[in-house]
């Protein structure tokens, strides 16, 4: 299953087809079609993205998901069938922060209806997918880095503090760097 940021899906074209592709962009990807499916199908709104192939098949010509016609009937859901479908989401390297955190959210949010719905937590839309993961408790907080800077401030020089902060930014995957800069910049 593909994963991409909003308007970040792959578009394939050649020199000859570029004007036609620009005039009529490709239809939905599996991910955006899943969002639409969750808007219109009450059962789809209860499942995770990675489970879609168990209950639906991908119609490549229409670029939509359709309910399976064969398989075991799902109890309490008439018309829904499940099959032993093998599915996997593409892996994303943590260096691609937003897409990596989007993937994390797709594994814990039932039936998202849009990219914004994935970033929504407690009736508030977070600015980033990483922030949404942090608010949902999917990431550890950065208290250890705050403690590190506070301890270093007792004995380190200003250049050494700046170097430590730069190293933390580069290698330590700090969730919200500005929250550490402000209290320790002096």
């Amino acid at each position: 299953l593909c994963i991409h940021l909003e308007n970040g899906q792959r578009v394939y074209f050649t020199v000859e087809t570029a004007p036609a592709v620009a005039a009529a962009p490709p239809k939905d990807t599996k991910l955006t079609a899943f969002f639409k499916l969750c808007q219109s199908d009450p059962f789809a709104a209860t499942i995770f993205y990675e489970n879609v192939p168990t209950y639906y098949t991908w119609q490549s010509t229409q670029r939509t998901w359709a309910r399976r016609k064969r398989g075991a009937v799902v109890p309490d859901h008439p018309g829904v069938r499940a099959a032993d479908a093998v599915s996997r989401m593409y892996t994303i390297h943590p260096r691609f922060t937003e897409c990596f955190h989007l993937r994390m959210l797709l594994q814990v949010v039932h039936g998202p209806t849009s990219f914004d719905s994935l970033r929504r937590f407690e009736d508030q839309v977070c600015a980033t997918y990483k922030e949404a993961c942090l608010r949902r408790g999917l990431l550890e907080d950065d208290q250890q880095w705050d403690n590190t800077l506070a301890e270093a401030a007792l004995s380190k020089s200003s250049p050494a503090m700046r170097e430590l902060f730069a190293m933390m930014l580069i290698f330590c995957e700090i969730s919200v760097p500005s929250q550490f800069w402000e209290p320790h910049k002096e």
Side-chain angles (χ1 to χ4, degrees):
L1 297 171
C2 68
I3 301 170
H4 58 82
L5 296 175
E6 190 169 11
N7 296 320
Q9 60 269 37
R10 292 178 185 219
V11 178
Y12 298 97
F13 59 91
T14 63
V15 174
E16 297 81 29
T17 62
V21 171
K27 295 180 182 179
D28 289 322
T29 63
K30 290 180 180 182
L31 178 59
T32 57
F34 174 60
F35 292 154
K36 288 181 179 178
L37 179 67
C38 291
Q39 292 169 13
S40 62
D41 186 329
F43 178 76
T46 66
I47 63 174
F48 297 121
Y49 180 50
E50 62 191 11
N51 297 338
V52 175
T54 302
Y55 307 102
Y56 300 86
T57 59
W58 178 246
Q59 307 299 305
S60 57
T61 54
Q62 295 93 357
R63 306 205 51 86
T64 60
W65 291 102
R67 280 196 179 169
R68 287 193 173 276
K69 294 182 176 128
R70 287 185 245 156
V73 175
V74 177
D76 300 327
H77 296 284
V80 179
R81 296 183 174 271
D84 292 333
V86 176
S87 66
R88 68 176 182 86
M89 288 192 287
Y90 288 127
T91 57
I92 309 291
H93 193 281
R95 182 178 303 144
F96 304 111
T97 304
E98 279 303 282
C99 203
F100 177 79
H101 292 99
L102 168 66
R103 185 181 190 280
M104 286 180 74
L105 290 168
L106 285 168
Q107 292 177 311
V108 298
V109 176
H110 291 274
T113 56
S114 67
F115 288 100
D116 283 349
S117 72
L118 285 168
R119 290 194 324 263
R120 181 175 302 281
F121 184 69
E122 294 179 350
D123 295 327
Q124 185 178 18
V125 178
C126 299
T128 64
Y129 297 108
K130 187 173 185 177
E131 179 186 346
C133 286
L134 193 61
R135 293 196 58 204
R136 285 179 177 275
L138 300 176
L139 304 175
E140 293 181 20
D141 68 6
D142 292 331
Q143 187 59 46
Q144 73 271 21
W145 306 121
D146 190 44
N147 294 343
T148 300
L149 287 171
E151 184 179 322
L154 298 173
S155 61
K156 300 289 182 189
S157 65
S158 296
M161 286 293 292
R162 286 191 295 273
E163 183 177 340
L164 174 61
F165 185 69
M167 296 299 272
M168 288 169 59
L169 288 176
I170 294 169
F171 298 111
C172 298
E173 299 291 329
I174 297 175
S175 297
V176 186
S178 61
Q179 84 181 27
F180 298 106
W181 175 250
E182 287 304 318
H184 299 286
K185 69 181 177 184
E186 296 301 323

